[in-house]
Amino acid sequence: MLHLEKVNGNNVWDILKLTVSKSQKNFVATNEISIIEAYTAITGNGHAFPFGIYDEDKPVGFLMIGFDVDDYWTDAPEIAKGNYNLWRLMIDKAYQNRGYGKEAVSLALEFIKSMPCGEAEYCWLSYEPDNAVARQMYRSFGFEETGEMDGEELIAVLRLQLTTSSLEN
């Protein structure tokens, strides 16, 4: 069964070994960079939740969730303020095409809906414009592109209240 486990001193080295294929390296930062970004966000009064994605006891990917902006994020898109974001998602090249990415997004949205940093209206994310696989997967969860960019990446948003109420029906 797939589950998330916070990155910690016991699992960080296993998470750092996970990589994507060469053709995907432009789509996602390395886990080293992501963990460094989580640390600097937290030390800058921000919120970051780095997780290993596990199938039973085997690490298959990495996921990071953020909330709001930190003291040093000077060029943050407007949507970042007061909202959650699916900051990173990667599935190791050996475990792709098994549905892990989609299942991990589902687990991430469950975590976000628990509102660990307080209420928010949106979850947002960004991806490279030519990452068709990511675009299609995020659309399947109801994320909609806004036309705005975060650097070179397209921004897509999901209204959290709609997600919560649609699950109750």
Side-chain angles (χ1 to χ4, degrees):
M1 178 172 197
L2 206 68
H3 67 279
L4 302 179
E5 194 174 300
K6 286 183 180 179
V7 173
N8 59 58
N10 291 326
N11 66 10
V12 68
W13 300 109
D14 291 331
I15 300 303
L16 291 174
K17 291 176 189 170
L18 302 174
T19 60
V20 294
S21 65
K22 267 188 184 173
S23 65
Q24 297 170 318
K25 288 199 185 289
N26 290 337
F27 293 153
V28 65
T30 65
N31 294 343
E32 291 92 340
I33 296 291
S34 296
I35 292 168
I36 290 166
E37 287 178 343
Y39 176 80
T40 59
I42 291 166
T43 60
N45 297 310
H47 301 276
F49 301 91
F51 292 102
I53 303 167
Y54 284 82
D55 184 356
E56 303 291 334
D57 62 348
K58 178 179 44 184
V60 299
F62 175 80
L63 170 78
M64 191 158 70
I65 294 164
F67 176 75
D68 204 12
V69 297
D70 63 57
D71 294 345
Y72 306 106
W73 193 6
T74 56
D75 60 347
E78 195 59 36
I79 189 71
K81 295 177 180 117
N83 287 305
Y84 290 90
N85 76 306
L86 184 48
W87 194 348
R88 288 283 148 63
L89 173 63
M90 69 80 67
I91 303 298
D92 184 85
K93 62 185 176 231
Y95 301 103
Q96 292 185 3
N97 301 310
R98 299 183 191 184
Y100 289 138
K102 198 164 189 164
E103 206 171 331
V105 171
S106 212
L107 291 171
L109 290 173
E110 275 181 43
F111 176 79
I112 289 167
K113 286 180 213 161
S114 76
M115 303 286 174
C117 298
E119 293 277 320
E121 187 174 359
Y122 294 102
C123 175
W124 71 281
L125 50 79
S126 63
Y127 46 83
E128 295 290 334
D130 54 349
N131 190 343
V133 172
R135 174 182 278 135
Q136 182 179 344
M137 181 182 63
Y138 295 134
R139 277 188 183 158
S140 76
F141 283 94
F143 282 90
E144 296 178 1
E145 292 176 6
T146 64
E148 297 170 76
M149 305 286 280
D150 182 18
E152 301 291 313
E153 297 184 342
L154 295 168
I155 292 175
V157 301
L158 176 71
R159 185 181 299 268
L160 293 172
Q161 286 77 4
L162 292 177
T163 304
T164 304
S165 64
S166 67
L167 288 175
E168 293 168 357
N169 294 336

